[in-house]
Amino acid sequence: MNTAMNYLTVLVVFLLLAAPSLYGIAHDRRIDRQIKKARRDEEHPSHRARFETAA
């Protein structure tokens, strides 16, 4: 029982230390996807965008 509790304690401490870093990585990836999408849309506007500007 003591060994299991020790492993659980180490796992919880690790997750507490790693959580902010993992959150930051996920945030950076989301921003990168948004930048890529904006660049792609800027280079190749969709048919809808062309229709709206023509109207």
Side-chain angles (χ1 to χ4, degrees):
M1 185 66 178
N2 250 354
T3 304
M5 189 60 76
N6 288 342
Y7 282 130
L8 184 61
T9 303
V10 168
L11 180 63
V12 168
V13 169
F14 173 76
L15 290 175
L16 285 173
L17 291 174
S21 189
L22 295 174
Y23 178 77
I25 290 170
H27 184 264
D28 286 347
R29 289 179 58 110
R30 187 184 71 207
I31 298 296
D32 288 344
R33 282 195 307 266
Q34 290 174 349
I35 291 171
K36 285 179 187 176
K37 183 181 181 304
R39 285 183 181 161
R40 186 175 54 234
D41 291 347
E42 186 177 272
E43 292 173 359
H44 305 288
S46 67
H47 294 292
R48 175 182 282 175
R50 278 188 254 149
F51 177 74
E52 289 173 356
T53 56

